[in-house]
Amino acid sequence: MSEPKVTLKTLMRHTGLSLGTVSRALQDGPEVRRETRELVKAAARELGYTPNLAGVKLRTGKTYTLSIVLPVENSEQDFTDSGFMALVSGLHAALAGTFYSLVVQPELPDEDPVAALRKLVEARRVDGLVLTQTRPQDERIRYLLEQDFPFVSYGRSALERAHPWYDTDHEDMAYRATQRLIACGHRQIAMLNPPAELMYSQHRDAGHRRALREAGLQHDPALTQCSGLSAADGRRLVLELALRQPRPTAFVCANEYAALGALSAFAELGWQAGREAAVVATDDSNVSAYFVPPLSTYYASLHGAGRQLGQLLLRRLDGEPVQQLCVLEQAQLIERQSDRLGGER
């Protein structure tokens, strides 16, 4: 004999709440306290309650679909080459146990990014959005604020009006990486940064310059190279910078893919990381522990960032004030090499 179907009345008896409260809690009704909504949803998961989602959508007017907007540099780009899949995985994990599903919206290079958002927002195809790769005066953020549409951005902006965001402190990360390399004897420190128009690229540049200034060193703009952050980009930039005189003795890479490309260039040049030059990575998966040699990294998990973004968006959909939905986290230094100039110990 099959198990009896779990209904709203089953949840009502299990929680001791009224039928109306249970129903509104499952619909994320703002009049129901957050603690009560969480209690009801936990009971629903425990008992295996499956709503008639079509009916829920009809009653609430919601799509129960969220979207993350990911830029695509070209039509053949593999998202795994930029680490975006770890971000999507974390976001998906944050939505587990909710009614929400996640779709990925590509942002193509020849497409007006605001026009692409209008298709989603004005047709109400989704209930909320996650933006990535923010700019100081981001037109997408400005548009969503004007529309009062729920969203959270992975990265900050310089807009005066507050909006929900999660970010790693890239200025602090670049500052600490540069400061540490200076203490290790390096003076020619190259930065492999993302495109200069992105907010976190500007944060990284500011941190790098601050560390140089405090050490009384001149900033050389030619040592900061802004580009994509694929392994191919990392290899190309290191090969170009290796031709400079004096050449860099340390490379700070903005992600593990660029660091992997840097090691490929080292092999082509006959260099060894930690001997001819140091390589430091900003790390999203800790796979750099298995590079040869393993690299010192500033660990900032993309999976963890995705989880944070998902939680912040759910809280925004619950009506929490924007001022409470801004999170800045520090990266963790994982030291696997001494990174001293010339490989000194």
Side-chain angles (χ1 to χ4, degrees), residues 50-66:
T50 303
N52 179 350
L53 197 52
V56 172
K57 290 179 179 180
L58 187 63
R59 289 194 304 272
T60 63
K62 293 183 176 182
T63 67
Y64 284 97
T65 301
L66 305 176

Side-chain angles (χ1 to χ4, degrees), residues 9 27 57-58 67 97 103 106 152 213 279 317 329 332:
K9 288 185 177 180
Q27 298 170 33
K57 290 179 179 180
L58 187 63
S67 180
V103 297
V152 60
R213 187 169 59 248
V279 179
L317 289 163
E329 291 195 350
Q332 174 192 0

Side-chain angles (χ1 to χ4, degrees), residues 203-261:
H203 286 149
R204 289 174 60 83
D205 188 55
H208 176 60
R209 288 171 182 263
R210 178 160 58 97
L212 293 173
R213 187 169 59 248
E214 289 180 2
L217 298 176
Q218 190 74 25
H219 173 255
D220 183 351
L223 290 179
T224 297
Q225 294 292 317
C226 297
S227 175
L229 295 176
S230 69
D233 292 318
R235 176 182 173 276
R236 173 179 57 80
L237 292 175
V238 169
L239 290 175
E240 291 174 1
L241 287 164
L243 299 175
R244 286 182 50 82
Q245 291 298 330
R247 66 169 180 79
T249 61
F251 297 84
V252 180
C253 302
N255 71 4
E256 283 183 317
Y257 299 98
L260 180 60

Side-chain angles (χ1 to χ4, degrees), residues 178-196:
T178 304
Q179 187 182 54
R180 175 174 172 272
L181 289 167
I182 292 170
C184 289
H186 297 275
R187 297 298 179 265
Q188 300 294 314
I189 302 170
M191 297 288 292
L192 306 192
N193 272 356

Side-chain angles (χ1 to χ4, degrees), residues 4-15 19 47 49:
K5 184 177 180 181
V6 178
T7 66
L8 289 176
K9 288 185 177 180
T10 310
L11 296 178
M12 178 187 73
R13 290 192 292 269
H14 184 82
T15 61
L19 186 63
L47 299 177
Y49 172 73

